[in-house]
Amino acid sequence: MEKKEYTLALLVSNKPDVLARVSGVLGGRGYNIETLCVDATLDPAYSKIILTTIQDKATIGKIEKQLMRLIDVHKVTDLTQVESVSREMILVRMKLSDTNKGHLALIIDTFNGRVITMNGDHCVMKITGDREIIEKAVASLKPLGIDDMARTGIVSLERKIN
Amino acid sequence: MALVTSGPGASNTVTGIANAYLDSIPIIVLTGQVPTHLIGTDAFQEVDIVGITRPCTKHNFLIKRVEEVAKTIHEAFHIARSGRPGPVLIDLPKDIMAAVTEYEPEPPRKIEEESPRPASKKAFYVMDLVAESKKPLILSGGGVILGGASEELRQLAWRTKMPVSSTLMGLGAFPGSDPLWLGMPGMHGTYYANMAISHCDLLIAIGMRFDDRVTGKIDHFAPNAKIVHVDVDASSINKNVMVDVPIVSDCKSALQSFNALLEQQNFSVTDDQRREWTEQISTWKRENPLSYCQSDTEIKPQFVIETLYKLTKGKAIITTEVGQNQMWAAQFYGYDEPNTFLSSGGLGTMGYGFPAALGVKIAFPDKLVVDIAGDGSIQMNIQEMATAIQDNIPVKIVLLNNGYLGMVRQWQQLFYGKRYSSTDMTYQPDFLKLAEAYGWKGLRATKPEEVEAVLQKGLAAPGPVLMDFRVSREECVYPMVRPGGPIHEMALGREMAN
């Protein structure tokens, strides 16, 4: 069966151990988590975990059911199956030189990024976008000398009110 | 319930917990833990038991404040028994156990509400399928026994005249002496159960999870059947076998709604309507019954179990170890009532049967409790022979002693050219002397004609008795489906007999 990246949103209890239980369901079966985002919901008793994993359709269904067996997992939504919006953010630290500054300004402008801090020979900038945009941005920045970067992984939300 | 100390005490529970997890057995394990201020410091006898047991418990807790104790214990019992049951572990640091707090009782939660019920539309559909089917079959599992639904299963089978096969964990839900009974399916299942599965046009699977030992090669499993699958655990459905009618429900509710519909529709089926199917099954039963080759000189292990069945009239509660002894106990003893056969199914844990027998005997002091064991398995927990004397628990051990880890030896014989590796157990204790050393009565039979007398004497003796049967060393369990093979292709063992 054809594999693709699925985005799952999990409503879980905001307790120690819950993330380990969730990652154990995938890891124990040899499945990799590609991206992961966690924070408390409006109600601090609950957290939302958004993770992505590359699977075929049958396997993602089994993973959802196995996750639902966990006592601390209250709801699992496959955001790939509903209309949803997704964003990712990266922070990139760039080495600055007379030769790359002009090109860098152009890239920041193209990807609607912003410089957060600048200090003589380096700067830290952020870019937000869907996965495709972020991949393109990274590819454009790479030849200019990325010193280091951090990616949030995907956050995703259903477009409509249920 | 189990109560153990920290560190090795806790880590020694892991196999038992994994065993309960795979067989959906509700247990609560209380483990000691180092004091809260020492957690995470590699303190003496500290292990992260919550971390270790995370993938083999239904849920587990680490208690950090004494105020959480009451609530957590209530919750643990609820979780262990509701839905698909399973083990729950509570890790209790030493300072929490010694702390004092005021107990505030919580209203008990109702478990039944948690169990989903089948939509009535689906129940209607299933009953339509039953009405149309010419070759129906019920395949029940441990869920029927755990859910207390054996009576409802019997009603359904008798009213619709559907033959019944049960998995290892499901034995006893349907009477082993009933004409509709087909025996266990799968790798060491009966010829006729496996043939019935392979030829049925409707398979109603209830409270079972299509384990690979049951299905064999999935592509050839019940190829002509519409499959209805009732299970309380949604993740069990469409996991191994894709089914036509998935029903997430506890077994009792589902069976009750099926039976209510039959009543409402005044459903009846004549013997004539079932004739073709019944005759086909009878033919299979006649052609290849469960059998073995009796000997004048050697004790056949199957003969020991048959004789045990005859002498106890099927009224004993049987526990088993794991391996050949377990399969023969499943094949050659008939179970008429639920919870009269206790065995380690999913995990296949050698050493299960004897401590299980002790527990059963404490729960049912008036019942005869017999552990059917092998000489390998019994030595996994043999130290509990002292417990039986200490706490006065008169259980019986029927030891099928072949001086091998027999099931592994059987695989080495059949699939690895008789290259026996680490399965020969010729050097083992003298079990008679061992029994005496523990204060037990020990009996031994070495010839077929001694079997009945030893069993009679051992079962009649008031205290705990170990009966050492020196059985035919290289007897194999048949029928056997080769691992990964389709279940209609069975080695029946006749070629071995000659």
Side-chain angles (χ1 to χ4, degrees):
Chain A
M1 233 187 284
E2 195 198 341
K3 288 191 172 191
K4 65 169 197 171
E5 188 164 31
Y6 284 87
T7 307
L8 299 182
L10 281 63
L11 184 68
V12 303
S13 303
N14 185 4
K15 288 200 292 202
D17 231 31
V18 175
L19 186 58
R21 292 180 200 279
V22 168
S23 62
V25 165
L26 284 107
R29 291 166 176 77
Y31 303 139
N32 193 36
I33 295 174
E34 302 297 322
T35 76
L36 178 69
C37 261
V38 193
D39 209 337
T41 62
L42 283 175
D43 178 350
Y46 297 96
S47 288
K48 190 186 259 191
I49 295 176
I50 293 169
L51 63 85
T52 66
T53 179
I54 297 171
Q55 305 294 347
D56 60 42
K57 201 167 167 29
T59 309
I60 200 75
K62 288 179 190 180
I63 290 173
E64 283 176 50
K65 286 197 237 173
Q66 291 294 340
L67 287 169
M68 276 310 292
R69 285 180 76 187
L70 296 176
I71 302 294
D72 286 328
V73 173
H74 308 289
K75 194 179 170 197
V76 179
T77 313
D78 180 356
L79 293 176
T80 330
Q81 305 298 323
V82 295
E83 237 187 286
S84 58
V85 287
S86 297
R87 286 294 180 273
E88 189 175 356
M89 186 178 84
I90 61 171
L91 296 174
V92 192
R93 188 169 65 237
M94 300 292 297
K95 283 180 191 147
L96 298 177
S97 66
D98 291 339
T99 50
N100 74 359
K101 271 183 188 164
H103 199 171
L104 191 58
L106 191 67
I107 292 172
I108 291 171
D109 194 42
T110 309
F111 289 99
N112 217 351
R114 182 186 286 182
V115 174
I116 297 170
T117 160
M118 191 138 123
N119 197 346
D121 65 343
H122 68 269
C123 77
V124 177
M125 50 184 276
K126 69 152 194 180
I127 296 172
T128 311
D130 61 22
R131 203 147 175 77
E132 203 186 338
I133 296 282
I134 298 294
E135 294 292 347
K136 278 185 183 158
V138 171
S140 309
L141 289 168
K142 226 172 182 175
L144 302 184
I146 294 177
D147 185 45
D148 202 358
M149 63 178 216
R151 291 173 74 152
T152 56
I154 288 169
V155 290
S156 192
L157 192 67
E158 297 95 323
R159 196 186 285 271
K160 290 177 190 159
I161 296 171
N162 286 325
Chain B
M1 287 223 29
L3 174 64
V4 299
T5 188
S6 72
S11 59
N12 275 340
T13 63
V14 172
T15 301
I17 292 171
N19 190 86
Y21 186 64
L22 277 175
D23 287 342
S24 310
I25 306 298
I27 60 170
I28 305 286
V29 181
L30 302 176
T31 52
Q33 183 53 280
V34 300
T36 41
H37 70 276
L38 287 181
I39 290 178
T41 64
D42 297 337
F44 178 65
Q45 294 194 328
E46 178 187 4
V47 293
D48 172 14
I49 194 64
V50 169
I52 291 172
T53 58
R54 203 179 283 132
C56 63
T57 50
K58 187 172 173 190
H59 197 57
N60 59 19
F61 298 91
L62 166 64
I63 295 188
K64 296 288 279 285
R65 296 183 316 122
V66 67
E67 293 77 18
E68 296 167 10
V69 171
K71 184 174 165 292
T72 306
I73 288 178
H74 278 296
E75 207 166 320
F77 274 85
H78 174 76
I79 291 169
R81 291 187 288 190
S82 59
R84 177 177 177 177
V88 177
L89 180 140
I90 306 173
D91 202 18
L92 287 160
K94 182 175 177 295
D95 53 328
I96 304 290
M97 279 193 274
V100 174
T101 189
E102 202 61 41
Y103 174 67
E104 287 185 25
E106 280 192 43
R109 282 206 269 181
K110 280 191 192 138
I111 289 166
E112 291 77 11
E113 289 169 12
E114 297 283 313
S115 298
R117 282 158 183 282
S120 61
K121 224 165 90 182
K122 275 194 180 170
F124 267 109
Y125 182 51
V126 173
M127 289 306 109
D128 282 350
L129 291 176
V130 170
E132 286 164 20
S133 169
K134 295 199 160 47
K135 297 188 267 183
L137 177 67
I138 297 174
L139 183 51
S140 82
V144 172
I145 293 176
L146 286 166
S150 304
E151 196 46 51
E152 288 80 359
L153 176 77
R154 292 166 187 214
Q155 281 174 24
L156 176 69
W158 286 333
R159 177 142 202 177
T160 57
K161 298 189 166 74
M162 287 195 276
V164 181
S165 175
S166 298
T167 67
L168 184 79
M169 296 310 292
L171 294 178
F174 193 75
S177 52
D178 193 279
L180 288 171
W181 174 242
L182 291 177
M184 183 173 76
M187 183 172 275
H188 293 297
T190 62
Y191 174 78
Y192 32 96
N194 284 343
M195 292 306 275
I197 289 172
S198 303
H199 289 86
C200 65
D201 62 9
L202 174 67
L203 182 72
I204 302 185
I206 307 173
M208 54 82 69
R209 58 186 177 83
F210 296 106
D211 181 271
D212 57 278
R213 287 292 188 268
V214 167
T215 61
K217 195 176 169 66
I218 296 275
D219 309 343
H220 292 78
F221 182 79
N224 311 313
K226 272 225 168 356
I227 302 180
V228 177
H229 188 192
V230 179
D231 203 283
V232 73
D233 174 15
S235 76
S236 285
I237 293 178
N238 286 337
K239 181 176 65 177
N240 299 335
V241 168
M242 300 305 283
V243 303
D244 301 284
V245 189
I247 299 180
V248 179
S249 164
D250 76 277
C251 297
K252 202 178 177 87
S253 309
L255 285 164
Q256 278 172 346
S257 54
F258 294 163
N259 289 332
L261 272 179
L262 292 176
E263 188 65 43
Q264 203 181 309
Q265 297 170 349
N266 210 4
F267 182 95
S268 73
V269 56
T270 61
D271 285 339
D272 227 36
Q273 282 170 280
R274 286 275 181 267
R275 177 147 301 154
E276 202 182 324
W277 185 225
T278 315
E279 277 176 7
Q280 174 65 75
I281 287 171
S282 304
T283 307
W284 285 326
K285 282 185 176 175
R286 205 170 44 243
E287 282 172 357
N288 289 301
L290 273 178
S291 63
Y292 61 96
C293 202
Q294 183 58 300
S295 155
D296 295 336
T297 49
E298 286 186 316
I299 300 176
K300 292 293 174 138
Q302 302 93 329
F303 172 64
V304 177
I305 295 171
E306 269 186 351
T307 311
L308 177 69
Y309 179 57
K310 191 181 81 182
L311 292 177
T312 57
K313 300 181 178 69
K315 299 288 181 221
I317 299 182
I318 302 293
T319 70
T320 80
E321 303 294 338
V322 165
Q324 291 184 316
N325 63 81
Q326 177 187 33
M327 291 300 109
W328 286 319
Q331 291 176 335
F332 288 92
Y333 198 96
Y335 303 93
D336 283 341
E337 296 301 328
N339 297 310
T340 56
F341 175 80
L342 288 97
S343 195
S344 166
L347 195 64
T349 314
M350 290 168 70
Y352 167 87
F354 179 34
L358 296 176
V360 171
K361 186 67 185 173
I362 290 171
F364 300 96
D366 300 330
K367 292 274 185 185
L368 175 63
V369 181
V370 181
D371 173 31
I372 295 178
D375 50 300
S377 290
I378 195 64
Q379 294 187 73
M380 295 285 171
N381 275 316
I382 195 128
Q383 74 284 358
E384 303 300 336
M385 288 181 81
T387 312
I389 298 294
Q390 178 94 38
D391 294 323
N392 188 24
I393 314 170
V395 298
K396 316 292 175 187
I397 296 175
V398 168
L399 182 60
L400 305 174
N401 185 349
N402 58 11
Y404 276 119
L405 296 172
M407 186 58 93
V408 181
R409 186 209 59 76
Q410 175 171 341
W411 282 51
Q412 290 173 345
Q413 173 190 328
L414 298 176
F415 308 117
Y416 298 93
K418 277 204 168 191
R419 297 192 302 280
Y420 294 167
S421 170
S422 308
T423 45
D424 190 343
M425 304 252 299
T426 310
Y427 293 95
Q428 53 178 206
D430 178 330
F431 284 103
L432 279 198
K433 285 185 181 162
L434 191 74
E436 279 161 27
Y438 274 114
W440 281 47
K441 188 181 189 63
L443 297 169
R444 176 173 291 150
T446 54
K447 299 191 205 79
E449 60 269 26
E450 295 166 354
V451 167
E452 184 157 344
V454 163
L455 278 170
Q456 268 172 341
K457 206 168 155 191
L459 298 176
V465 182
L466 185 151
M467 289 160 264
D468 180 18
F469 295 92
R470 295 300 181 88
V471 298
S472 169
R473 286 203 75 198
E474 302 210 351
E475 189 71 16
C476 287
V477 179
Y478 290 109
M480 181 171 194
V481 177
R482 73 186 151 80
I487 57 168
H488 65 269
E489 288 177 13
M490 287 158 273
L492 297 165
R494 291 215 193 85
E495 57 279 14
M496 305 301 301
N498 301 319

